[in-house]
Amino acid sequence: MSRPILPLRRCSSRTSPNEYPLCPACDVHSVSRGIIGFGAYVPRWRLDRQAVKQALGWLSQGKGKAVGTRSYCNWDEDALTLGVEAARDCLSSVSAQPDAIWLASTSLPFADRSNSGLLAAALDIAPACHTLDSAGSLRAATSALISALTNTSCALVVGSDARKARPASPQELAFGHAAAAVLVGNEQVIAEHLGSHSVAIDFVDHYRATHAEFDYALEERWVRDEGYQKIVPPAIAALLTRCAVSPSEITHLLMPTGPAITTRLAKDCGIAATAVVDPLHTEIGDTGTGHPLLMLCHALETAAAGSLMLLIGFGQGVDALLFRVPTKKPSARPQRGVSGTVTAGKTDTMYTRYLAHQGLLDVDFGMRAERDARTAQSAAYRRHRDLTAFVGGRCSQCKTLQFPYSRVCVNPNCRLTDTQAAERIADVTGAVKSFTEDWLAYSPNPPLAYGNVNIGDGGNVFMEFADVEPGVLSVGLPVRMVFRIKDVDRVRGFHRYFWKATPVGS
Amino acid sequence: MATGIRDKVAIIGMGCARFGERWDASPDDLMLEAFTEASLDAGIDRDQIEAAWLGVFYQEQSTSKSGLPLSLALRLPNTPVTRVENLCATGTEALRGAVYAVASGAVDIALAMGMEKLKDTGFAGLPERTKGTFEDQWQPGFTPPGAFAQLASAYAARHGITHQDLKRAMAHVSWKSHENAADNPKAHLRNRITIEQILNAPVVAAPLGTFDCCGVSDGAACAIVTTPDIAANLARNQARRDIVTVKALALASSNGVEMGHASWDGSYTPTTRLAAARAYQEAGIKDPRKALSLIEVHDCFSITELVLMEDLGLSDPGRAVNDILDGRYDRTGAIPCQVDGGLKCFGHPVGASGLRMAYEIYTQLLGRAGARQLKNPSLGMTHNLGGIPNRNVASITVLGLNSI
């Protein structure tokens, strides 16, 4: 058997985005399915592991490594906002519009509110869209990807995690926060899907109960010997046999574990040591559910034509996926990609700030933090596209771009009624018109930075800035828009999102 | 054809409570303190007042809504009392209501009261408030200093002024107001400070430091207004030769341009320019630089006062820094500004501020200002900017001395 038979195959001769007729020339059509776009996002803040060791070294007699940095969410980021940025990076390079949005994570912000639906809304995807939250295991992203590859849609699969770690735990140093996204389709395929193989085994290397804050992790040696080394190789062998690919042909072994485990596994499986891909743990940490996708995205940035990539997801079993980079590799590359977002990091040595942003240090933010941040849901829904997708209006007469959309044009020389058409501002590059760093205003990461942003075409938005350190802002500075948490309602356990401006270079 | 408000209404009595952190005083106490002074000044009893306007902004922290708090505090004889609120222009709105009522001929004697009790919040600075159910979901979680600090970055960029020069002129603005307030027994902050103290103060919202921000104070101020004829008779009975009349009352409200349109560069307040043009026309002022004896402007922050000098047409564009450093707006300068200490040092009980400014003009015009009395003032102007540079109400009152 040279190729796996997928349940339903799709042809490039489709007539509309929502209709996939079988190829008229063949009953099992010849067009491959695979990855047609990829992107990633790693939050800007990187905690210096030495800072953790300096703060908590008294607990461990100086044992344990503390090399490099780990990524972490600013106070206004979570698994959803990371996912939005990864998805935008992915979609930046492709013209195809997804009709399915799947979000995989073990740290989704809402237990009962469609997180993938919110992701789709932030991307301003048309509502006729199949959304799905995939959760419950670190395999959630690779399992979702297998489903997408064996499905019919032009599916955007996003893996994202912002897992908390108990202070002083090994996970605190090991974990990172990030998201990666891949678009699955049939045209302009960057990585052709050759096959996949899944195994489900209730091997509890770690777990987190539904309402628990932190993982409970078991002994690493047991996980290595009984877990990785016994569960993964048979799955790889089964997949490669089915795809008629020799282990020695594998050019990229993409596995989100530490290089030591992966290298030994490669040897056991007959895969060349040179195929072992750096998981970037030193730079950003183990970012959880999305990490296999992040490694795939990173490898795709530079992979040569003909590369054979073996992607492994591990967690209560294993997902193994095999991809081949076609001979004529499309040139599509995301705007930032993994390499761009990894190098855009800012090293932070303030361990207590990291703790506060993770909600692990109960800081006194003063009485101004008591302000009620209740969301009027009916008002939010009335303007949900404005708020979630950052859609404003453009006057059809004077062409002024404006936010928020209003019935009457804001241009003092126009002021016509009902002339505005919806237009997305999220992808606009703006320029700082005025700014301040406000130490009086409540912010979980003071000073609160905000100001007027010229969005071009006559428009101005008074908005907050994200990820700016004091002294960075200046009049005229180019800014791009990012999706962030706007306010947290502690009383009702809700938080709302909106867009903020951040320097283009950050 | 409308002819404007000029000389149609006179102020016959004013009162102002001592401003400050009045831990001892309730809203009722503050209103009674201001009214008692005005009543004695005018020789008018509360039962002669035919209609009253009460201005309160942050009703959540003090009186709750409606005009009732004034009626209750003074035990008015079921007089019609209307509550008005228009951000920091609230006090001027109360005056406008009373003045227009008299000018319309509906009543002969009306009262305008502005009151604010800010210090029951439990923290420094102005109280937190909602901006609206939709606006809260997208506007920045700004504070007043942060919103006004925007002016500094945009003004410096527009005029190519260095941060140091701007900070020095801003410091002079605050220094001058502290100097003036030292001679004002009703002012909240009466201490003299040095330029260096101002420049070295901790940053509140860059580039504004602690001394670039006005006092957050409790207070009340009020005016009793009537027709010029009645005012003249009352003045003669008190052997006075002059009355103070209203020369102009002008407002301009933002319509969203500053918040949403690029035609505004963030370096000035367009509404002030419009309100000033309307006020100068209504008052018949051709050259405000020559006509105005003194001004009280909305110096909520030092940068605001600096920018306003240009918006009011008193300094040429980009020249406010030089004019301020040259002492043009000092008490001894060509156009004394904030002779009573301004919002900066007299204090800023929001609903009272417009009337407090009018109180200083009135006091100066009648020659009652004691140690800070200017020489023969004849025409004065108040200005408030309610809201933030991005969205605001500008209000202006011009008061003048008329011989009878």
Side-chain angles (χ1 to χ4, degrees):
Chain A
M1 190 162 58
S2 62
R3 285 290 196 81
I5 304 300
L6 300 179
L8 187 62
R9 300 209 142 197
R10 298 295 164 218
C11 177
S12 61
S13 63
R14 69 188 194 187
T15 53
S16 81
N18 295 318
E19 191 183 349
Y20 297 86
L22 284 172
C23 176
C26 59
D27 54 350
V28 180
H29 79 70
S30 57
V31 177
S32 67
R33 183 164 171 82
I35 309 296
I36 63 169
F38 60 97
Y41 176 75
V42 181
R44 178 168 163 77
W45 293 98
R46 311 295 157 79
L47 181 64
D48 186 341
R49 292 190 175 105
Q50 276 298 322
V52 182
K53 193 167 182 182
Q54 279 167 20
L56 295 172
W58 58 275
L59 277 165
S60 60
Q61 293 182 315
K63 285 186 288 187
K65 287 182 294 182
V67 178
T69 57
R70 58 150 295 181
S71 56
Y72 77 91
C73 286
N74 205 332
W75 77 269
D76 57 357
E77 296 181 295
D78 61 15
L80 177 67
T81 68
L82 302 183
V84 169
E85 291 310 311
R88 294 176 74 201
D89 190 45
C90 173
L91 297 176
S92 69
S93 65
V94 294
S95 55
Q97 275 292 310
D99 51 27
I101 305 286
W102 297 354
L103 175 57
S105 175
T106 69
S107 51
L108 292 169
F110 289 95
D112 187 356
R113 178 193 182 188
S114 173
N115 297 280
S116 53
L118 193 45
L119 172 64
L123 299 172
D124 202 30
I125 303 289
C129 172
H130 175 221
T131 59
L132 183 71
D133 291 359
S134 174
S137 162
L138 291 182
R139 273 201 295 137
T142 47
S143 297
L145 180 55
I146 290 172
S147 295
L149 289 161
T150 55
N151 195 281
T152 65
S153 315
C154 181
L156 180 72
V157 179
V158 180
S160 180
D161 250 331
R163 296 175 294 171
K164 284 188 183 180
R166 191 186 296 281
S169 67
Q171 290 74 37
E172 181 176 51
L173 291 173
F175 283 4
H177 299 160
V182 292
L183 188 63
V184 174
N186 308 327
E187 292 153 44
Q188 296 290 306
V189 171
I190 299 163
E192 183 188 5
H193 178 226
L194 301 183
S196 23
H197 185 80
S198 291
V199 174
I201 299 174
D202 187 33
F203 177 75
V204 186
D205 60 328
H206 75 281
Y207 66 90
R208 187 165 77 244
T210 298
H211 296 293
E213 205 169 7
F214 307 117
D215 287 8
Y216 190 85
L218 281 301
E219 186 182 353
E220 286 177 24
R221 295 170 61 81
W222 174 68
V223 174
R224 182 192 65 194
D225 296 348
E226 284 294 301
Y228 285 109
Q229 282 177 21
K230 290 196 175 166
I231 295 173
V232 177
I236 291 177
L239 174 64
L240 296 187
T241 302
R242 184 140 55 89
C243 297
V245 168
S246 161
S248 60
E249 294 179 79
I250 299 297
T251 57
H252 297 75
L253 176 57
L254 306 164
M255 189 161 150
T257 42
I261 290 178
T262 312
T263 301
R264 179 152 170 199
L265 237 155
K267 190 179 174 188
D268 291 351
C269 294
I271 296 170
T274 50
V276 174
V277 172
D278 176 11
L280 300 173
H281 287 176
T282 308
E283 293 81 3
I284 63 173
D286 173 4
T287 66
T289 305
H291 210 85
L293 303 193
L294 185 123
M295 293 180 70
L296 175 63
C297 295
H298 195 207
L300 285 173
E301 288 175 15
T302 53
S307 295
L308 273 171
M309 299 179 160
L310 181 58
L311 178 66
I312 304 295
F314 184 81
Q316 297 81 54
V318 60
D319 290 326
L321 299 85
L322 189 62
F323 295 96
R324 177 166 54 203
V325 178
T327 314
K328 287 184 179 174
K329 183 190 176 190
S331 58
R333 269 198 63 170
Q335 275 180 0
R336 285 156 64 87
V338 175
S339 49
T341 189
V342 165
T343 52
K346 176 86 181 169
T347 300
D348 187 15
T349 55
M350 276 190 243
Y351 176 59
T352 54
R353 174 157 66 184
Y354 153 84
L355 286 179
H357 288 181
Q358 308 315 306
L360 299 175
L361 189 65
D362 192 8
V363 175
D364 179 9
F365 285 108
M367 288 188 190
R368 288 186 187 279
E370 295 168 9
R371 183 164 69 182
D372 192 350
R374 180 180 184 275
T375 297
Q377 294 292 353
S378 52
Y381 182 65
R382 203 154 51 230
R383 308 300 295 258
H384 69 273
R385 204 171 163 216
D386 310 33
L387 295 165
T388 312
F390 204 5
V391 168
R394 185 186 287 276
C395 178
S396 61
Q397 297 301 303
C398 73
K399 310 301 179 195
T400 297
L401 182 63
Q402 47 209 288
F403 184 88
Y405 150 86
S406 58
R407 295 277 309 273
V408 185
C409 180
V410 74
N411 179 355
N413 298 317
C414 176
R415 295 191 294 140
L416 290 173
T417 300
D418 291 336
T419 53
Q420 290 173 50
E423 185 165 322
R424 188 157 147 93
I425 295 166
D427 296 323
V428 160
T429 298
V432 175
K433 200 159 93 174
S434 69
F435 64 92
T436 191
E437 294 154 6
D438 190 339
W439 289 95
L440 180 66
Y442 164 63
S443 166
N445 189 29
L448 183 71
Y450 53 92
N452 289 294
V453 173
N454 188 330
I455 56 169
D457 294 335
N460 178 83
V461 183
F462 188 41
M463 62 194 303
E464 292 181 16
F465 296 108
D467 287 345
V468 290
E469 300 101 83
V472 164
L473 293 168
S474 62
V475 173
L477 184 76
V479 287
R480 61 189 170 89
M481 308 304 172
V482 290
F483 183 73
R484 293 295 173 101
I485 293 170
K486 172 74 168 68
D487 295 294
V488 176
D489 180 352
R490 288 176 194 81
V491 176
R492 300 164 195 84
F494 189 76
H495 54 269
R496 56 192 179 213
Y497 299 89
F498 185 58
W499 295 75
K500 301 180 185 179
T502 196
V504 165
S506 76
Chain B
M1 181 68 186
T3 54
I5 200 70
R6 175 159 45 138
D7 292 334
K8 290 178 180 170
V9 178
I11 299 179
I12 52 170
M14 289 201 76
C16 185
R18 182 172 59 81
F19 283 13
E21 292 178 326
R22 295 289 304 268
W23 311 116
D24 61 312
S26 68
D28 289 9
D29 297 330
L30 295 167
M31 286 190 279
L32 187 60
E33 190 175 325
F35 180 74
T36 301
E37 182 186 350
S39 175
L40 286 170
D41 178 24
I44 293 289
D45 183 77
R46 62 183 163 178
D47 291 350
Q48 294 171 268
I49 291 164
E50 297 164 85
W53 275 259
L54 170 63
V56 178
F57 177 53
Y58 287 106
Q59 89 272 348
E60 302 90 341
Q61 271 83 7
S62 57
T63 60
S64 185
K65 296 175 187 295
S66 89
L68 288 175
L70 175 61
S71 184
L72 294 167
L74 303 185
R75 303 290 188 218
L76 292 175
N78 306 105
T79 309
V81 186
T82 303
R83 186 230 168 165
V84 291
E85 184 282 302
N86 216 357
L87 302 168
C88 293
T90 295
T92 300
E93 278 293 6
L95 179 63
R96 189 160 165 255
V99 166
Y100 280 13
V102 168
S104 76
V107 298
D108 279 337
I109 297 172
L111 169 69
M113 170 71 75
M115 191 285 301
E116 207 73 48
K117 180 71 194 170
L118 292 175
K119 293 305 299 181
D120 283 343
T121 54
F123 56 86
L126 289 172
E128 296 280 339
R129 66 182 175 89
T130 177
K131 301 168 185 79
T133 49
F134 174 53
E135 283 74 9
D136 279 344
Q137 298 186 46
W138 67 271
Q139 284 191 22
F142 63 80
T143 64
F148 278 90
Q150 309 286 326
L151 287 172
S153 56
Y155 182 91
R158 175 179 180 143
H159 297 292
I161 290 167
T162 65
H163 176 74
Q164 288 78 6
D165 286 348
L166 192 60
K167 277 287 278 184
R168 191 131 197 112
M170 286 158 57
H172 188 100
V173 165
S174 297
W175 169 84
K176 165 265 299 164
S177 293
H178 273 266
E179 288 291 309
N180 289 345
D183 287 332
N184 183 354
K186 288 187 175 179
H188 180 174
L189 304 168
R190 301 189 61 198
N191 56 323
R192 290 191 155 90
I193 54 172
T194 66
I195 293 286
E196 283 64 37
Q197 276 177 291
I198 298 168
L199 290 173
N200 295 328
V203 169
V204 176
L208 305 179
T210 308
F211 290 113
D212 291 301
C213 307
C214 73
V216 173
S217 325
D218 302 323
C222 68
I224 298 171
V225 298
T226 187
T227 65
D229 286 347
I230 295 173
N233 286 335
L234 286 169
R236 284 187 200 100
N237 293 344
Q238 295 177 7
R240 281 156 53 180
R241 289 174 296 167
D242 302 299
I243 60 168
V244 173
T245 59
V246 177
K247 300 290 184 184
L249 267 169
L251 250 76
S253 308
S254 289
N255 60 8
V257 168
E258 300 97 319
M259 193 71 101
H261 195 246
S263 56
W264 177 63
D265 71 359
S267 72
Y268 63 103
T269 66
T271 51
T272 298
R273 296 183 178 190
L274 290 166
R278 289 170 193 169
Y280 295 152
Q281 185 182 18
E282 188 169 50
I285 295 172
K286 290 188 175 58
D287 183 354
R289 301 183 191 193
K290 286 183 181 155
L292 292 169
S293 313
L294 75 156
I295 56 174
E296 291 282 333
V297 306
H298 201 79
D299 58 328
C300 50
F301 304 97
S302 57
I303 186 64
T304 322
E305 180 172 327
L306 186 149
V307 165
L308 289 172
M309 295 304 102
E310 297 177 19
D311 291 341
L312 293 168
L314 305 176
S315 280
D316 290 338
R319 298 296 298 172
V321 166
N322 299 65
D323 289 347
I324 285 165
L325 291 173
D326 288 346
R328 183 182 167 86
Y329 303 108
D330 293 355
R331 203 199 302 178
T332 53
I335 309 173
C337 180
Q338 330 293 54
V339 181
D340 62 356
L343 300 177
K344 173 74 193 76
C345 295
F346 203 135
H348 185 26
V350 180
S353 281
L355 281 157
R356 182 275 299 164
M357 295 173 168
Y359 176 81
E360 177 66 9
I361 305 288
Y362 174 84
T363 304
Q364 289 281 350
L365 292 177
L366 295 178
R368 303 170 175 177
R372 66 182 190 281
Q373 179 64 46
L374 301 171
K375 195 177 171 189
N376 301 324
S378 60
L379 195 69
M381 176 171 75
T382 76
H383 162 273
N384 286 107
L385 192 76
I388 60 171
N390 276 79
R391 185 176 281 185
N392 59 71
V393 182
S395 66
I396 287 178
T397 307
V398 180
L399 302 177
L401 204 56
N402 283 33
S403 301
I404 51 174

